[in-house]
Amino acid sequence: MINHEVKIALLDMNNNYPNQGMRNIKDISEAFKADADYAVCIELFDVRSRYEMPDIQDFDIFISSGGPGNPHKEGYAWEESFLRFLNAIWKHNKENEAKKYLFLICHSFQLACIYWDLAEVIPRKSYSFGVMPIHKTEDAEQDFMLKNLPEPFYAVDSRAYQIVRPKSDHLDKYGMKITALEKIRPHVDLERAVMAIRFSDEIFGTQFHPEADPTGFMEALKIEKYRNSIIEDHGLEKYQETVDRINDQDKVVLTRREILPRFLAFAAKQVLKSISLV
């Protein structure tokens, strides 16, 4: 047994806004800890309202949540801290054998796309919320994060912004790959938004919410904004269909079971492997 504690930092980006995301991220992380046959430490950081930010040297694995608001700079101190955090992890991984692992969700994902200038990040015409089909790209078929999911797979999508018109030259410069796109809408003359990117072997991000569970989704529907976004965009029938399929084992439940747990298991394995080589 390797005498090393795998240390996980959870970055709460919700700015005290009521949400189900952090509960789900914590539940998945705690379940991982309970199943591990080695020591796991989990620490929470409130990035936006308390200006807390982990020192990357103190942790092995990072999960940064979604959150409300404009992903473009608005002059808050935490914004520069978060960008320095992204840069520090990227720089560390370029310079060290022992890597740091990062998963970016929704708002955090948008911030990273802006930071590396990978695409245009713009407001949607209307708020997107619901259980949506997500389509894998060719690059996803060989990516361990998504290859075990069907085509398309389903996930909870909750966003006021979208990532469109990706800059292939910038993606190529960093060796980054788009691994998922939003649903095909043949009746709408709009570009499909980017829904997941493989930033590096150690960094992965999604626009959708891989942590979402049926309980959290149903709680969110009690909020008028989210409930109305489905009804206004898709009609009452689509709303009822969404509610009816939230518990399907091959949709949100499968996505929750596959993505974040797979990321944690892979990252921890690599961390422990690097320790054994020291």
Side-chain angles (χ1 to χ4, degrees):
M1 175 63 65
I2 298 170
N3 185 22
H4 178 77
E5 184 176 47
V6 174
K7 296 180 179 180
I8 303 172
L10 305 181
L11 281 64
D12 183 349
M13 302 289 285
N14 285 282
N15 202 23
N16 280 331
Y17 190 84
N19 73 97
Q20 295 293 320
M22 281 311 300
R23 174 188 65 82
N24 285 317
I25 291 169
K26 287 188 281 189
D27 285 351
I28 291 169
S29 301
E30 291 291 346
F32 170 76
K33 176 180 178 178
D35 289 341
D37 59 358
Y38 44 84
V40 176
C41 168
I42 301 170
E43 191 169 339
L44 179 65
F45 294 84
D46 187 336
V47 175
R48 294 173 70 178
S49 67
R50 294 186 179 180
Y51 299 100
E52 298 172 347
M53 184 65 67
D55 184 328
I56 72 160
Q57 300 306 322
D58 294 338
F59 295 90
D60 307 302
I61 303 170
F62 306 82
I63 300 175
S64 190
S65 81
N70 183 352
H72 294 279
K73 285 185 179 180
E74 296 183 308
Y76 296 109
W78 70 263
E79 294 170 328
E80 286 300 325
S81 296
F82 188 81
L83 298 184
R84 286 196 297 269
F85 163 78
L86 291 178
N87 181 65
I89 288 185
W90 187 268
K91 186 172 185 289
H92 173 94
N93 287 344
K94 290 296 182 184
E95 297 175 353
N96 294 273
E97 289 295 323
K99 309 298 186 183
K100 304 292 181 178
Y101 295 82
L102 170 63
F103 198 106
L104 299 153
I105 298 171
C106 197
H107 192 82
S108 298
F109 177 67
Q110 294 167 359
L111 291 170
C113 288
I114 293 169
Y115 175 66
W116 280 301
D117 193 21
L118 303 180
E120 294 184 26
V121 182
I122 61 174
R124 284 177 52 86
K125 289 187 175 181
S126 61
Y127 196 91
S128 175
F129 183 79
V131 178
M132 306 295 186
I134 310 292
H135 292 268
K136 298 190 292 185
T137 66
E138 287 186 14
D139 287 310
E141 295 302 332
Q142 301 303 318
D143 195 301
F144 78 95
M145 291 296 301
L146 299 179
K147 69 179 183 179
N148 286 350
L149 290 170
E151 167 55 34
F153 63 95
Y154 286 79
V156 169
D157 184 24
S158 175
R159 57 195 165 99
Y161 284 77
Q162 60 182 346
I163 296 164
V164 294
R165 294 183 280 281
K167 302 175 181 180
S168 58
D169 55 336
H170 292 200
L171 288 158
D172 292 344
K173 172 185 173 182
Y174 295 111
M176 299 175 177
K177 303 289 186 182
I178 294 171
T179 55
L181 298 168
E182 73 176 332
K183 64 182 179 180
I184 299 169
R185 296 177 294 172
H187 58 289
V188 179
D189 187 24
L190 293 172
E191 185 177 357
R192 294 165 69 195
V194 175
M195 297 302 284
I197 292 176
R198 165 62 69 187
F199 293 92
S200 70
D201 289 344
E202 302 83 21
I203 304 173
F204 194 86
T206 64
Q207 177 64 81
F208 59 87
H209 288 267
E211 80 280 12
D213 69 348
T215 300
F217 183 82
M218 295 307 294
E219 282 296 313
L221 287 182
K222 294 178 182 178
I223 300 173
E224 186 176 5
K225 167 188 172 182
Y226 297 142
R227 185 172 62 251
N228 288 348
S229 70
I230 300 177
I231 296 172
E232 289 172 4
D233 286 352
H234 307 290
L236 189 59
E237 184 178 348
K238 183 68 173 181
Y239 169 81
Q240 191 57 55
E241 177 189 85
T242 300
V243 171
D244 290 343
R245 72 187 186 189
I246 187 62
N247 284 303
D248 288 359
Q249 293 299 307
D250 63 346
K251 293 185 173 64
V252 171
V253 175
L254 175 62
T255 300
R256 174 187 168 92
R257 188 169 65 238
E258 280 291 322
I259 294 183
L260 275 181
R262 186 177 291 275
F263 166 75
L264 286 169
F266 171 80
K269 180 179 178 181
Q270 302 309 309
V271 168
L272 293 174
K273 186 184 297 183
S274 67
I275 294 299
S276 70
L277 296 175
V278 174

